[in-house]
Amino acid sequence: MKILVGVKRVIDYNVKVRVKPDGSSVDLDNVKMAMNPFDEIAVEQAIRLKESGVADEVIAVSIGPDKSQETLRQALAMGADRAILMPYEGTTEPLSVAKAFKALVEKEEINLVLLGKQAIDDDCNQTAQMLSALLDWPQGTFASGLTVEGEALEVTREVDGGQECVQLELPAVISVDLRLNDPRFASLPAIMKAKKKPIDRVEAESLGVDLAPRLELLKVSEPPARQTQCVLVDTATDLVEKLKNEAQVL
Ligand code: AMP
């Protein structure tokens, strides 16, 4: 089995996002960037499948600026076998990313694609679903559990009413949710070893894919400031007292 894993370079989730004064976009100058957290979970899952003998090769892919190589190096240090950078300086959109992944799936003869359930920069939550439609492969989205037996996959999904279990046949597309696993930290020797692993550059045009955005971004603005202040109370009695006398809702 050959697994393709999507890893997107996004603003680190610990960073407080600032909007540019002209409202044209989010300010990325001197901002710490990192691998999309859901993609770390996807890489971890792919590596576990390889370690358990289910998968033969794990290939990490990033579509983005040259600096996305850092994100790919992290995936390699975690245990991916090789990486592909599809260079693109602008904003990537789910449909064009899905088309690029489809082309790579066909080029690399992939059986399983693992993606994050969403990229935390655009929060689109669309790429896996679009890729599955383009490939005409089954999809298991928001996976919080995954087992593979031969060609059969069982995906556990967290839904409003509890847990849903779906069965899929390979080849398939899976998007992963937070509770699937705890991604490992790469050890220093693994980071050193990853420096020798190959990162191939594949131009989108060479696969007949156009990454130019189709959506027009009109304006980015800060959310409105909170009207109410948060107060921490020590005891339930204090809470009741405040609700009665200050908020006057009891
Ligand atoms: P989205 O649909 O934009 O929320 O992204 C869902 C998932 O698709 C992400 O968690 C990644 O696994 C993958 N993905 C989206 N954009 C990219 C990109 N530019 N490069 C690599 N993977 C991506």
Side-chain angles (χ1 to χ4, degrees):
M1 183 199 287
K2 265 174 102 174
I3 306 181
L4 199 64
V5 193
V7 293
K8 188 177 186 186
R9 183 173 183 265
V10 297
I11 291 188
D12 187 287
Y13 72 96
N14 292 303
V15 169
K16 179 159 173 8
V17 174
R18 289 186 315 262
V19 174
K20 280 189 181 167
D22 65 1
S24 60
S25 67
V26 163
D27 193 356
L28 294 182
D29 286 347
N30 302 317
V31 171
K32 184 169 182 249
M33 306 292 281
M35 185 189 295
N36 182 43
F38 292 106
D39 300 350
E40 286 188 32
I41 297 170
V43 173
E44 175 66 36
Q45 198 62 32
I47 295 163
R48 288 187 191 188
L49 288 173
K50 180 161 178 205
E51 285 171 346
S52 62
V54 170
D56 305 301
E57 190 176 26
V58 176
I59 308 169
V61 179
S62 196
I63 305 174
D66 261 354
K67 288 211 158 159
S68 306
Q69 286 188 52
E70 291 166 11
T71 315
L72 291 169
R73 287 279 169 221
Q74 183 187 340
L76 293 171
M78 286 173 75
D81 297 292
R82 61 189 174 93
I84 297 174
L85 171 69
M86 187 173 279
Y88 187 68
E89 285 300 325
T91 307
T92 56
E93 290 176 359
L95 184 56
S96 46
V97 171
K99 286 181 182 168
F101 269 80
K102 176 176 188 277
L104 288 170
V105 160
E106 286 160 0
K107 179 172 184 269
E108 295 284 349
E109 298 180 355
I110 297 295
N111 318 79
L112 179 64
V113 181
L114 288 173
L115 301 177
K117 80 161 177 184
Q118 70 193 61
I120 61 165
D121 53 357
D122 58 22
D123 275 345
C124 279
N125 177 1
Q126 294 169 357
T127 308
Q129 297 85 332
M130 288 177 170
L131 177 61
S132 127
L134 290 174
L135 288 166
D136 199 18
W137 285 6
Q139 60 180 298
T141 50
F142 318 139
S144 58
L146 173 67
T147 54
V148 185
E149 264 184 46
E151 297 288 296
L153 304 179
E154 204 170 272
V155 175
T156 309
R157 315 177 62 235
E158 284 177 15
V159 292
D160 280 351
Q163 296 207 325
E164 183 182 68
C165 199
V166 291
Q167 287 183 334
L168 321 172
E169 286 279 304
L170 283 173
V173 179
I174 307 279
S175 80
V176 307
D177 210 337
L178 215 53
R179 272 173 279 274
L180 183 62
N181 60 47
D182 288 323
R184 70 194 66 190
F185 288 105
S187 64
L188 192 58
I191 294 172
M192 302 308 286
K193 212 170 127 200
K195 292 191 178 168
K196 296 205 183 94
K197 292 187 184 174
I199 298 183
D200 296 329
R201 283 175 82 90
V202 176
E203 300 293 334
E205 301 79 61
S206 72
L207 300 176
V209 177
D210 177 8
L211 292 170
R214 308 297 200 272
L215 304 175
E216 187 190 349
L217 179 66
L218 298 180
K219 190 168 180 275
V220 181
S221 52
E222 299 272 359
R226 274 178 187 243
Q227 298 299 319
T228 47
Q229 290 273 312
C230 227
V231 180
L232 281 180
V233 290
D234 292 327
T235 63
T237 319
D238 291 350
L239 176 63
V240 172
E241 195 271 324
K242 280 193 182 297
L243 291 174
K244 257 193 196 155
N245 301 324
E246 282 181 29
Q248 299 187 335
V249 291
L250 289 184

